[in-house]
Amino acid sequence: MTIAVVAAMHEELGALLAQMPDEQRVQVAGRDFWVGHLHGQPVVAVLSRIGKVAAALTATVLLERFKVRAIVFTGVAGGLAPGVRVGDVVVATKLLQHDLDASPIFPRYEVPLTGHARFAVDTAIGDALAAAAAEVLRDPVGLLGPQVVEDFGLAAPRVHRGLLVSGDRFVSTAAESAVLRRDLPDALAVEMEGAAVAQVCHDYGVPFAAVRTISDRADDEAHGDFTRFVSAVASRYSLALVDAWLATLPAQ
Ligand code: SAH
């Protein structure tokens, strides 16, 4: 059965799409779903577009139309916790929507009627992605070349595991990220899609995991060299990571 690999933007999945020689495009709801193989595994790769609704819609189509057996979200995120630096990789253990607040009817962050604020990822996929990330980050120069490593200061990238938070906001001021750090002290990084897909996968009972490369520190410089970083670094990390993970799966 097929595995789905999702990213929000084209630049995040560019390198991976280039490695799917037999891919066939299926269009649904204005999105391109690329159905093919990667490492001998049946895969459907898709760009969700940006934000929680776009991501939830994409996940629903993957589950209903393509009957995928797992969804992995990849791409970039803004680092929140101290020590989560540009070029590091965050493998989520749990995901939460930082802009969801139906209090006082429900506790802040809780998805109404589910009893959950934090949605756990599939442990086996999370473990495998973390192992793949550690392997990939061992040699950034080999993967990205010396110039890119120097330009972005990626000498010693690290893998972190923990809480990833999502919301419909590009967090690009130090003031806003300080508030997130205060309210959610264990959040490692912030992005705009993961927790929405985690919620959909939870409702369907399908395994989900998320792995993000840190593109910025969610502060006043967050927009900086964003696009170049995504194509030069994050897109290649995503391919290497997903590839290393798929290589560990039994042949189909
Ligand atoms: N400046 C970019 C903004 C894209 S939105 C552009 O014009 O194209 C940012 C995307 O990257 C989202 O899909 C989100 O998941 C992720 N992301 C990276 N850094 C983020 C941050 N600081 N806050 C929120 N999302 C972030």
Side-chain angles (χ1 to χ4, degrees):
M1 265 171 52
T2 307
I3 289 164
V5 181
V6 191
M9 298 180 292
H10 180 73
E11 296 85 354
E12 293 170 312
L13 221 51
L16 188 139
L17 288 173
Q19 294 298 311
M20 290 176 63
D22 65 336
E23 87 276 19
Q24 288 194 314
R25 186 177 65 163
V26 181
Q27 280 191 311
V28 184
R31 286 152 176 78
D32 292 329
F33 292 78
W34 299 96
V35 182
H37 290 82
L38 206 59
H39 246 291
Q41 298 287 336
V43 163
V44 50
V46 59
L47 309 172
S48 65
R49 299 182 185 166
I50 294 168
K52 293 195 298 177
V53 174
L57 178 148
T58 306
T60 309
V61 173
L62 284 167
L63 294 161
E64 288 288 347
R65 287 266 189 117
F66 295 90
K67 308 287 181 205
V68 298
R69 68 174 161 116
I71 298 182
V72 171
F73 210 107
T74 183
V76 292
L80 286 178
V84 178
R85 300 199 178 86
V86 171
D88 287 0
V89 167
V90 170
V91 180
T93 52
K94 294 199 168 158
L95 295 99
L96 167 148
Q97 295 175 48
H98 68 75
D99 57 352
L100 180 55
D101 187 358
S103 62
I105 308 164
F106 297 96
R108 188 175 183 191
Y109 306 122
E110 187 169 303
V111 177
L113 309 177
T114 65
H116 296 289
R118 295 167 182 237
F119 289 76
V121 305
D122 181 83
T123 322
I125 304 179
D127 287 350
L129 285 172
E135 192 59 44
V136 166
L137 292 193
R138 201 157 290 153
D139 181 17
V141 175
L143 186 67
L144 307 170
Q147 194 61 52
V148 171
V149 167
E150 193 190 314
D151 288 356
F152 291 103
L154 308 174
R158 293 175 54 200
V159 182
H160 308 266
R161 289 187 84 179
L163 180 68
L164 194 57
V165 299
S166 314
D168 283 320
R169 256 191 340 251
F170 183 65
V171 180
S172 56
T173 64
E176 202 180 334
S177 51
V179 170
L180 283 173
R181 259 192 300 279
R182 182 198 66 201
D183 292 349
L184 294 161
D186 60 337
L188 296 180
V190 59
E191 36 87 312
M192 302 177 68
E193 298 86 16
V197 179
Q199 182 184 336
V200 172
C201 287
H202 171 266
D203 286 355
Y204 276 86
V206 168
F208 170 76
V211 55
R212 296 268 188 172
T213 304
I214 301 303
S215 56
D216 60 87
R217 278 289 303 171
D219 57 15
D220 305 292
E221 278 98 55
H223 58 280
D225 233 354
F226 189 82
T227 314
R228 183 164 168 250
F229 179 87
V230 176
S231 5
V233 181
S235 164
R236 296 203 217 163
Y237 274 7
S238 292
L239 169 64
L241 267 161
V242 171
D243 219 49
W245 165 56
L246 291 177
T248 66
L249 299 181
Q252 294 259 329

